[in-house]
Amino acid sequence: MAGEYRFSFGPWNIHEGGDPFGPTVRTTVKFAKKLKLFKKLGFEGVQFHDDDAVPEMDKLSPKEIVKKAKEVRKMLANEGLVAEFVAPRLWEDPRTIDGGYTSNDPECRKYARDRSRRAIDIAAALKTDLIVLWLAREGTYMREAKDSKVAVDRLVKAIDDMLAYNKDIKIAIEPKPNEPMDQAYIPTTGHAMALGYLTRDAGRVGVNIETAHAILAGLDPSDEMGFALAYDKLYTVHLNDQNGLKFDEDKSFGSVNLRRAFNQVRILDKYDYGKKGEFVGLDVKAVRTQKQKVATKHLSNSRTIFLRLVELARSLDEGQVESLIAERDYEELDLLIMNHLLGK
Ligand code: XUL
Ligand code: MN
């Protein structure tokens, strides 16, 4: 069954453990060393921010960027890995302080547009057609600081620009309701998909649904996935877990709420997610207390839990589920699911 699913994570998922209140607690693992860990941990896809592939890319010419990205492509091939997607990192440069595509400063919006084109070049060099857009700073701290109608117009323009720049790419918008912003403009799957339909080529715009982001929006991640699946728009997922409405925790998949994780796996497996080449992507972080040597367990554990939940989804007595639904005995259905999760 493991072979039926391909798993991916990003180099940022092996990290030094710094948080807003304290310094790093683990040493940096070099990119080349991280690549060596993928296969060992059961993963074959690598998710990239543009500058994960080409560090300090803003100091390089477009040609130099492509050259560097091609070197990374070779490194991937040597490890038997493939790139899943590239995401432009539009939240660290001073020109993105007020957002990228929705910045009030036209020079900063131009930077965001140019940087996105370079990210697309990197994706092409890495031989992936998928661009993920996490719209990190496209929102406000003060409601009056931006005009929400103008912001949406600008997001559409930015996506149109990317779609026109390269006719082969697909864009997966990753919605998140808050953090770092107080209020983000594209907080949910519905917003992301509706934004896609305003673009020049809606057939190439879908979503990346992250478990934690859906929970932060007060929504059920499996329902968000079902919504996107109904539109054939679920281009990828960022599975993790989240303990309530607080900072984005990126906890190991299933570690907070096993039933919620089961329902995500159940809907993905039921509707053949992965059969068109989609990866089971993770976006998980080791907790700060984890020692260096064992700071990749969150990745292998998440994968293990996913696969165990596939087994549970497939062994659920669907006939029983159907008859309880027909009888409208949802309390008995509740117990059936709980017993199944408890191995009874
Ligand atoms: C932020 C987040 C990002 C995106 C990729 O919350 O999830 O790591 O997944 O840019
Ligand atoms: Mn994510």
Side-chain angles (χ1 to χ4, degrees):
M1 183 196 307
E4 289 174 38
Y5 283 104
R6 298 192 300 165
F7 295 84
S8 71
F9 69 87
W12 66 91
N13 292 132
I14 300 174
H15 76 121
E16 296 84 359
D19 70 16
F21 302 98
T24 59
V25 289
R26 295 183 286 264
T27 58
T28 302
V29 179
K30 288 214 173 83
F31 177 68
K33 202 169 166 202
K34 285 184 184 176
L35 286 190
K36 297 222 174 287
L37 294 170
F38 273 75
K39 275 277 164 92
K40 278 190 197 141
L41 294 166
F43 293 76
E44 58 184 281
V46 184
Q47 310 167 13
F48 285 94
H49 292 117
D50 49 8
D51 59 1
D52 292 323
V54 184
E56 307 212 43
M57 55 185 281
D58 284 338
K59 293 183 185 154
L60 304 174
S61 72
K63 253 192 185 163
E64 288 169 324
I65 290 172
V66 169
K67 189 166 169 267
K68 295 253 179 213
K70 283 186 175 161
E71 287 165 18
V72 175
R73 158 96 181 130
K74 274 193 208 126
M75 290 171 80
L76 293 179
N78 287 342
E79 302 297 336
L81 302 171
V82 294
E84 187 203 358
F85 68 69
V86 176
R89 198 193 297 273
L90 291 172
W91 52 92
E92 288 187 354
D93 190 89
R95 285 164 289 189
T96 59
I97 283 175
D98 194 24
Y101 312 126
T102 66
S103 171
N104 284 320
D105 181 338
E107 279 305 307
C108 295
R109 293 202 298 277
K110 183 179 175 317
Y111 166 77
R113 193 190 65 188
D114 290 343
R115 171 87 180 219
S116 304
R117 289 180 175 196
R118 299 292 79 77
I120 293 169
D121 293 344
I122 291 171
L126 293 177
K127 298 246 181 301
T128 175
D129 61 2
L130 189 60
I131 301 294
V132 163
L133 280 189
W134 170 47
L135 301 166
R137 298 193 189 277
E138 316 300 358
T140 55
Y141 304 112
M142 317 295 170
R143 271 304 67 183
E144 303 79 9
K146 289 179 186 171
D147 176 323
S148 52
K149 155 65 169 90
V150 171
V152 171
D153 294 344
R154 286 179 174 160
L155 288 170
V156 173
K157 197 166 177 293
I159 295 172
D160 277 348
D161 195 72
M162 286 181 246
L163 293 168
Y165 179 68
N166 182 325
K167 298 272 187 283
D168 297 324
I169 58 154
K170 294 189 307 179
I171 295 177
I173 301 169
E174 183 179 335
K176 182 177 180 182
N178 62 289
E179 200 203 36
M181 305 314 294
D182 178 36
Q183 300 276 350
Y185 284 127
I186 306 299
T188 70
T189 305
H191 288 83
M193 283 175 31
L195 186 68
Y197 285 109
L198 284 177
T199 66
R200 60 191 291 152
D201 194 353
R204 291 196 283 141
V205 187
V207 292
N208 174 15
I209 296 182
E210 174 161 329
T211 313
H213 297 180
I215 296 165
L216 286 169
L219 299 170
D220 180 80
S222 70
D223 284 356
E224 290 284 273
M225 288 171 187
F227 186 79
L229 285 165
Y231 284 86
D232 202 13
K233 289 287 186 198
L234 190 56
Y235 291 177
T236 189
V237 291
H238 261 176
L239 300 184
N240 55 22
D241 214 347
Q242 172 74 25
N243 195 8
L245 300 180
K246 51 184 85 163
F247 62 95
D248 185 6
E249 297 187 298
D250 294 336
K251 295 189 91 167
S252 292
F253 181 58
S255 65
V256 178
N257 185 330
L258 198 58
R259 186 174 183 173
R260 192 167 57 193
F262 169 74
N263 283 315
Q264 290 168 73
V265 172
R266 185 165 178 242
I267 198 136
L268 292 173
D269 197 54
K270 186 171 180 189
Y271 294 106
D272 290 335
Y273 180 84
K275 293 263 159 65
K276 285 186 286 186
E278 305 95 328
F279 276 90
V280 175
L282 301 180
D283 195 0
V284 289
K285 286 204 181 77
V287 287
R288 194 163 185 266
T289 42
Q290 198 70 357
K291 290 182 185 165
Q292 185 89 26
K293 265 194 181 162
V294 284
T296 54
K297 286 193 175 173
H298 58 305
L299 293 158
S300 47
N301 290 355
S302 295
R303 179 180 174 279
T304 301
I305 294 299
F306 181 92
L307 289 171
R308 294 220 175 125
L309 289 174
V310 173
E311 277 171 31
L312 280 183
R314 290 182 187 173
S315 59
L316 182 65
D317 185 343
E318 290 292 349
Q320 180 103 40
V321 171
E322 286 303 314
S323 76
L324 292 173
I325 288 174
E327 287 164 32
R328 219 175 64 208
D329 190 352
Y330 301 149
E331 294 291 359
E332 195 61 34
L333 175 62
D334 201 30
L335 187 65
L336 178 78
I337 300 296
M338 293 305 286
N339 274 337
H340 194 61
L341 290 175
L342 289 164
K344 297 262 179 202

